[in-house]
Amino acid sequence: MNDRTPEPRGVDPWADLRDLTIARVGLGRCGDAIPARDVLAFQLAHAQARNAVGATLDAATLGLDNVVEVHSRATDRATFLQRPDLGRQLAEKDAPRLPPGAYDVVFVLADGLSATAVTRQAPGVLAACLKALPGWSVAPVVVAHQARVALGDEIGERLAARFVVIMIGERPGLSVADSLSLYITANPRPGRADSERNCISNIQPRGGLSPESAADKLAWLLREAVRIGGTGVNLKDDPSAALPSA
């Protein structure tokens, strides 16, 4: 939390640093304890993080048309948290909802560990990504419940998409509870390793990436993935390489 009223610089020597970060630095003390305002801010952040982990994703609140909703094999939130393996597998009943097509990319909006992040950030990020990819064939948007990153691999394979981009809520911390990540995987299929993906993280409005910046980075990575023939450790995040030489 960075909502404290700035104190005069002569009174608080940490004020300049605190203006630059949402991290908790130089909290000070009141007697032998932390000041009450900082204790309350910490308790609020902890409650927001817990709420984000337990929140459910309501596709209707995303304001998107023609989405396909699917579920993992984790039947409820408690099972999802206790059995990560089930969150990586598509529920059998939902497989027929994903017929193959001639798609360059499919976007999957997945609750992950913060449905709050998806609700707040994903619609704007998705709109920016679609704008940044003119000419690409895009599959119907998939909204995935109780989903881990690897669930996108099976979704992408069933749709026969060349790439899958899963937008997923990051694990909430005590500074940000609604941060979104994008994971990009080429030629998706079950069994893909994390080393075969690229990640764009910390998409959120309080010091993180903006939707437009995330979309520009995604578009560059996808174009480079086409050029080199895959994603993962061989695809280096170096946007300056895409700029014309002087």
Side-chain angles (χ1 to χ4, degrees), residues 71-93:
H71 299 74
S72 75
R73 295 191 182 184
T75 55
D76 53 46
R77 199 64 180 166
T79 303
F80 168 77
L81 295 173
Q82 296 167 11
R83 293 286 305 275
D85 58 313
L86 296 180
R88 302 183 183 108
Q89 303 173 52
L90 185 67
E92 292 184 11
K93 66 180 179 60

Side-chain angles (χ1 to χ4, degrees), residues 6-18:
E7 298 185 30
R9 295 301 187 259
V11 175
D12 183 1
W14 292 97
D16 288 325
L17 179 59
R18 234 184 346 255

Side-chain angles (χ1 to χ4, degrees), residues 122-148:
V125 174
L126 176 62
C129 289
L130 295 176
K131 184 178 180 180
L133 294 170
W136 283 60
S137 174
V138 181
V141 175
V142 178
V143 175
H145 299 274
Q146 316 298 4
R148 302 278 176 171

Side-chain angles (χ1 to χ4, degrees), residues 201-214:
S201 62
N202 194 34
I203 305 169
Q204 48 89 10
R206 294 168 301 282
L209 282 178
S210 69
E212 293 74 21
S213 295

